[in-house]
Amino acid sequence: MNRILLVLLLLSAIIYGCGKSGVDPVVQYQNQKAIDDKIISDYIAANAGLNAKRIDTTGVWYVIKDGEQGSGNVLYTSSTQVTVGYTAKILTSGTVVAQTDKFHPTYILGGVIKGWQLGIPQIKPGGNVRLLVPSRYAYGPYPQDSLKLPANSVMDFQIQLYNVTN
């Protein structure tokens, strides 16, 4: 009898431990979305001359200075290769977490963060775009230790597009 009670007690502890704990992931996502969107909208409001445009309802904003659109006809797909130079900063602190110098890496568009997938097609080869990317379209709740990038970082990317290959 004692063994049965012990087994039932252990089983109930296991079941209780497997139950929901903490914040619902959907609520957590919505809360972070609101925080990120406020950070970006406050930044844009504080920098009135920025002339930023939002990409649909994504929360990703872009800025293209006059004459920096680039040229050519480009069809972007998820398998398009893009050769870029870039600087990546945390928007709230301005801390540079990554940048290219003389080396310009080539990426497959479908393999980069969603903010880049949405923002790079706004320009053509030779173009230059600044992207303000909420954490949900950057690295999300995952810290990037190699970049010393905290979780849920809102990002500011300056991207020069050198080449596009389909």
Side-chain angles (χ1 to χ4, degrees), residues 51 53 63-70 128:
N51 195 25
K53 298 175 184 166
V63 178
I64 301 172
K65 294 179 185 169
D66 288 338
E68 294 189 18
Q69 174 71 33
N128 194 337

Side-chain angles (χ1 to χ4, degrees), residues 140-163:
Y142 309 103
Q144 302 298 307
D145 296 333
S146 63
L147 300 175
K148 295 184 174 110
L149 183 67
N152 295 312
S153 292
V154 176
M155 300 300 297
D156 179 358
F157 294 99
Q158 186 69 48
I159 301 170
Q160 174 74 42
L161 182 59
Y162 291 103
N163 193 25

Side-chain angles (χ1 to χ4, degrees), residues 34-108:
I35 291 167
D36 291 355
D37 291 348
K38 181 165 178 20
I39 289 170
I40 293 174
S41 63
D42 287 353
Y43 182 84
I44 291 169
N47 294 278
L50 197 57
N51 195 25
K53 298 175 184 166
R54 189 165 65 171
I55 300 172
D56 299 324
T57 59
T58 64
V60 176
W61 291 77
Y62 71 97
V63 178
I64 301 172
K65 294 179 185 169
D66 288 338
E68 294 189 18
Q69 174 71 33
S71 61
N73 293 322
V74 180
L75 173 64
Y76 289 97
T77 67
S78 61
S79 60
T80 298
Q81 292 183 11
V82 293
T83 302
V84 297
Y86 66 90
T87 300
K89 297 179 188 177
I90 300 171
L91 183 65
T92 53
S93 67
T95 302
V96 174
V97 295
Q99 71 183 96
T100 59
D101 292 318
K102 294 179 182 177
F103 173 70
H104 304 296
T106 298
Y107 301 105
I108 295 173

Side-chain angles (χ1 to χ4, degrees), residues 6 31 72 105 154:
L6 182 60
N31 289 344
V154 176

